[in-house]
Amino acid sequence: MAENCSHDCSTCGADCPSRDGGASLLEKPNALSRIGRVIAVVSGKGGVGKSLVTTLLAVLAARRGKRVAILDADITGPSIPKLLGISGKAGATGDGIYPLRSKTGIEVMSINLLLERTTDPVVWRGPIIAGAVKQFWTDVVWGDVDCMFIDMPPGTGDVPLTVFQSIPVDGVVVVTSPQELVSMIVEKAVSMAAMMNMDVLGLVENYSYFVCPDCSAKHEIFGASKAAGIAAEHGIANTARIPVDAGIAKLCDEGRAEAIEAKWLEALADALLAD
């Protein structure tokens, strides 16, 4: 691959495996893994609730009787085990590494399940981080999984590129918030998905509104929602809006994200799991 590759083969004359008709860069999963649909949850920047959305979509899929897994690709900022109340170390045999399971049966692999202490920082350069994410696909014994959600790190750097090139992702869900700046940055995530020929299956706007506990009125405290406009501009069929709710934060802090009702994501989950 050329050093300044734009990932658009139609404008490039270089002879490399990324070109149509060249050798596929996709990696095979562990021999004992049979994985169905793979959905990556992405964001243009951090702090918009990407890990929350990943977890809640997985929870909703599990409630629908699906065998579900989460691959936590956010190596430097892993939070999936905390959200699901998972602790301990992932085990390994000659067959590979075995993920840990949440209370409702969601299989999870995260760097925090391999560290001596969950507070230890991961101070690695980009290629090493990307290699670790690839190993979560190739070396982990996932077993039979109907739907895998990949919690991606924010931005459009090494790890998203590695995931999109190495793992057969069926589509992405983009997470954003109402602020104008974030809405601008989300365009980068959508554009990267298009560049990598990935379908954007849904758009989730977190912190979208606050419901007054006294009068039940909705207040858009971070500005008017931009979800519908962004979705229309990019032809995204499925959108969802998550409110500001202290109850959500409390359950996440307690490691009980599986207890969140998540009714705002029901329609999106149905669309993602539709055959």
Side-chain angles (χ1 to χ4, degrees):
M1 182 182 297
E3 181 179 354
N4 297 317
C5 179
S6 68
H7 312 291
D8 182 2
C9 295
S10 65
T11 64
C12 176
D15 183 15
C16 68
S18 295
R19 296 190 63 81
D20 292 340
S24 173
L25 298 177
L26 291 177
E27 298 281 353
K28 292 182 179 180
N30 180 280
L32 298 179
S33 300
R34 287 163 292 280
I35 301 169
R37 188 163 300 175
V38 180
I39 298 169
V41 181
V42 307
S43 65
K45 69 181 296 296
V48 296
K50 172 183 47 58
S51 296
L52 172 66
V53 171
T54 301
T55 300
L56 293 183
L57 288 175
V59 168
L60 289 172
R63 289 176 188 168
R64 285 155 173 74
K66 301 296 184 181
R67 295 167 296 189
V68 185
I70 299 178
L71 189 161
D72 188 354
D74 196 349
I75 300 295
T76 59
S79 56
I80 297 297
K82 171 65 175 177
L83 291 170
L84 291 171
I86 297 174
S87 60
K89 291 281 192 68
T93 69
D95 294 323
I97 305 168
Y98 283 80
L100 295 188
R101 185 173 293 183
S102 74
K103 293 181 179 67
T104 62
I106 299 171
E107 303 275 3
V108 175
M109 177 49 62
S110 171
I111 195 67
N112 261 12
L113 303 180
L114 300 174
L115 298 176
E116 187 65 30
R117 294 178 297 273
T118 58
T119 55
D120 288 345
V122 177
V123 187
W124 296 346
R125 294 191 183 276
I128 298 176
I129 293 175
V133 171
K134 189 186 296 186
Q135 285 184 285
F136 282 177
W137 173 257
T138 60
D139 295 1
V140 172
V141 181
W142 292 103
D144 291 320
V145 172
D146 296 316
C147 186
M148 172 182 283
F149 294 92
I150 302 180
D151 184 27
M152 303 277 273
T156 56
D158 286 340
V159 172
L161 181 58
T162 295
V163 169
F164 290 152
Q165 290 184 328
S166 304
I167 298 176
V169 176
D170 293 290
V172 305
V173 171
V174 179
V175 183
T176 183
S177 63
Q179 294 97 322
E180 190 71 43
L181 174 63
V182 177
S183 298
M184 180 272 291
I185 292 174
V186 78
E187 304 262 353
K188 296 181 183 292
V190 172
S191 297
M192 181 178 189
M195 188 180 296
M196 303 302 296
N197 297 315
M198 295 288 166
D199 293 329
V200 179
L201 304 176
L203 175 73
V204 178
E205 184 179 77
N206 195 20
Y207 312 117
S208 189
Y209 56 89
F210 171 75
V211 179
C212 176
D214 297 322
C215 66
S216 298
K218 287 185 178 180
H219 301 277
E220 295 179 322
I221 58 179
F222 291 115
S225 172
K226 299 174 180 63
I230 295 173
E233 181 179 352
H234 295 282
I236 303 171
N238 304 295
T239 62
R241 299 173 66 193
I242 301 178
V244 176
D245 187 335
I248 297 174
K250 183 175 186 294
L251 289 171
C252 289
D253 288 342
E254 295 172 351
R256 298 196 296 131
E258 288 164 301
I260 298 171
E261 187 177 355
K263 58 185 178 181
W264 334 276
L265 296 176
E266 295 271 3
L268 174 59
D270 288 337
L272 295 178
L273 299 173
D275 294 330

